[in-house]
């Protein structure tokens, strides 16, 4: 197409007669209006393609006379002419709409132009078959050029528009989770400018993956989120979802996002290996100012959960809050763990297997189930439990003892 745009008129090529050129020039303004009417009437504009450009914009594009000019002057379209007709493609891209109606509009305009040429040339003595074929070739070659230029310009404008929109969405998201916006009203206006209505409050969910980072952005777009929810990959292995909520009760389903992400990654990765997802859920704090606090709590929950409850898919901040409080004073944790588990930890030869047995027994409260988890005979588990009781001097079935031992085991993971 670029070569066509630079070709010059070849000697001997038939041109339209002067009388016919005068007739087409006289009709040009009316023809442009006719093209505009045809475009508005015949092109399918719906919810997927958006509203048609204004009739005035279409008329200006038709008045450029590209299809008539190429036929009248026996030449291809120039780059300047192509840039002018490509403007409708840019408007569609900026409105996040489909380019197909614009291409259909120019196909209709080319047909209207060709019909006008045929009517003006009808019964003219110089209207030889050869001249008519060459004239038609210029009209429809120009249409090919227009389609290529509109599509190229549309894709470039679309890419730029999406990049600007992505950056603006990212700024809005970071403003929410970092509480760096001027006012809630200003943030709402910023969201409306992006055609991104937001809720009056959110609960934050932070998801971390250990595999499948490349698939995370794609999978995030497939999650079934409620209206006004926001999702953003803050780094290659972290997805943050802001779940719309106006109360703590409404925030209850937010943890379901973690399970959705785990399932979606399993499907996406297939045989490439299972990705492990860990999630942390913050508490509800009213208003948009509360989002940053919920986000920090979700970050703390996912990190503490990784250490304290590695087998859990998602943990709420309230569930790990006691550990977070104690973790602020490592010396206190160390003293408590030594006080509760000291004799067991001092047994250098067997403390690893004894700790593993104790954790399984506390988790199951059954020798049989603990043995199944450890893939051991129940007599082996009974022997180890007897050794643990001897070292600790405690009744492992007493509720207070079980609670104290479980807390010490959990805190040990934070050291």
């Amino acid at each position: 197409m670029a070569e066509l745009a630079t070709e010059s008129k070849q000697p001997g090529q038939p041109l339209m007669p002067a009388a016919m050129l005068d007739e087409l020039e006289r009709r040009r303004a009316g023809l442009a209006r006719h093209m505009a009417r045809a475009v508005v009437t015949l092109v399918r504009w719906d919810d997927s393609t958006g509203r048609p450009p204004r009739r005035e914009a279409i008329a200006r594009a038709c008045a450029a006379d590209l299809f008539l000019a190429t036929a009248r002057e026996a030449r291809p379209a120039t780059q300047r002419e192509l840039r002018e007709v490509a403007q409708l493609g840019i408007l569609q891209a900026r409105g996040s709409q489909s380019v197909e109606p614009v291409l259909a509009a120019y196909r209709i305009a080319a047909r209207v132009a060709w019909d006008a040429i045929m009517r003006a040339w009808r019964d003219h003595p110089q209207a030889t078959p050869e001249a008519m074929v060459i004239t038609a070739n210029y009209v429809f070659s120009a249409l090919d050029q227009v389609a290529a230029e509109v599509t190229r310009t549309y894709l470039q404008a679309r890419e730029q528009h999406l990049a600007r929109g992505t950056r603006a969405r990212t700024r809005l998201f970071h403003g929410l989770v970092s509480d760096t916006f001027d006012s809630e009203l200003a943030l709402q206006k910023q969201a409306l400018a992006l055609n991104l209505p937001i809720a009056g409050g959110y609960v934050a969910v932070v998801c971390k993956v250990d595999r499948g980072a490349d698939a995370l952005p794609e999978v995030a777009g497939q999650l079934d989120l409620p209206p006004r929810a926001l999702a953003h990959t803050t780094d290659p292995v972290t997805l943050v979802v802001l779940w719309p909520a106006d109360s703590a009760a409404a925030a209850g389903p937010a943890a379901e996002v973690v399970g959705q992400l785990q399932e979606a990654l399993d499907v996406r990765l297939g045989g490439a290996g299972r990705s492990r997802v860990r999630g942390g859920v913050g508490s509800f704090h009213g208003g948009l100012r509360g989002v940053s606090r919920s986000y920090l709590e979700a970050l703390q929950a996912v990190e503490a959960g990784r250490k304290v409850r590695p087998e859990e898919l998602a943990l709420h901040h309230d569930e790990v809050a006691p550990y977070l409080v104690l973790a602020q004073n490592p010396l206190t944790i160390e003293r408590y763990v030594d006080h509760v588990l000291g004799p067991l930890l001092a047994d250098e030869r067997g403390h690893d297997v004894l700790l593993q047995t104790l954790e399984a027994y506390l988790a199951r409260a059954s020798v049989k189930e603990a043995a199944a988890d450890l893939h051991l005979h129940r007599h082996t588990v009974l022997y180890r439990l007897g050794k643990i009781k001897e070292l600790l001097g405690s009744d492992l079935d007493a509720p207070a003892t079980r609670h104290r031992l479980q807390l010490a085991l959990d805190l040990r993971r934070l050291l």
Side-chain angles (χ1 to χ4, degrees), residues 260-278:
Q260 281 191 48
L261 182 61
Q262 180 70 76
E263 294 176 3
L265 279 173
D266 288 344
V267 172
R268 173 65 175 77
L269 296 177
R274 190 172 187 270
S275 176
R276 179 71 165 85
V277 180
R278 302 182 192 276

Side-chain angles (χ1 to χ4, degrees), residues 118-141:
M118 291 299 293
R119 284 194 301 272
W121 210 338
R122 187 177 298 135
D123 299 327
H124 196 281
Q126 295 182 21
T128 64
E130 179 186 11
M132 295 178 67
V133 168
I134 292 177
T135 302
N137 181 63
Y138 277 111
V139 171
F140 295 108
S141 291

Side-chain angles (χ1 to χ4, degrees), residues 124-315:
H124 196 281
Q126 295 182 21
T128 64
E130 179 186 11
M132 295 178 67
V133 168
I134 292 177
T135 302
N137 181 63
Y138 277 111
V139 171
F140 295 108
S141 291
L143 177 59
D144 288 341
Q145 290 179 273
V146 167
E149 184 67 16
V150 168
T151 302
R152 183 186 68 80
T153 307
Y154 171 84
L155 292 176
Q156 288 180 346
R158 177 75 170 151
E159 183 177 349
Q160 293 171 358
H161 177 72
L162 289 175
R164 285 194 297 270
T166 300
R167 290 194 295 269
R169 286 173 62 97
T170 300
R171 286 195 298 270
L172 184 143
F173 190 92
H174 283 293
L176 266 174
V177 299
S178 61
D179 193 10
T180 54
F181 53 91
D182 294 332
S183 67
E184 294 196 3
L185 179 60
L187 195 71
Q188 292 280 5
K189 288 181 177 179
Q190 182 182 348
L192 287 175
L194 295 171
N195 195 26
L196 184 70
I198 58 177
Y202 287 97
V203 163
V205 183
V206 173
C207 304
K208 297 274 188 180
V209 300
D210 58 2
R211 297 190 61 182
D214 293 342
L216 187 58
E218 173 191 340
V219 171
Q222 300 171 357
L223 298 178
D224 183 19
L225 301 178
R228 299 176 185 259
L230 302 175
H232 182 63
T233 50
T234 57
D235 62 56
V237 297
T238 306
L239 171 69
V240 179
V241 175
L242 300 184
W243 186 278
D246 55 8
S247 66
E256 297 173 2
V257 171
V258 187
Q260 281 191 48
L261 182 61
Q262 180 70 76
E263 294 176 3
L265 279 173
D266 288 344
V267 172
R268 173 65 175 77
L269 296 177
R274 190 172 187 270
S275 176
R276 179 71 165 85
V277 180
R278 302 182 192 276
V281 185
S283 300
F284 172 75
H285 303 282
L288 296 179
R289 292 290 184 190
V291 175
S292 62
R293 183 176 174 185
S294 182
Y295 172 64
L296 290 176
E297 290 176 346
L299 286 174
Q300 292 173 338
V302 75
E303 182 59 25
R306 182 181 64 83
K307 298 176 181 178
V308 178
R309 294 284 186 271
E311 72 284 356
E312 295 287 342
L313 185 66
L315 282 175

Side-chain angles (χ1 to χ4, degrees), residues 324-337:
L324 295 172
V325 173
L326 291 171
Q328 295 176 9
N329 193 335
L331 292 178
T332 301
I333 293 179
E334 190 173 345
R335 284 202 306 269
Y336 184 82
V337 170

Side-chain angles (χ1 to χ4, degrees), residues 87-99:
Q87 294 306 305
L88 290 181
I90 295 176
L91 292 176
Q92 285 296 97
R94 289 176 178 171
S96 300
Q97 307 298 345
S98 171
V99 72

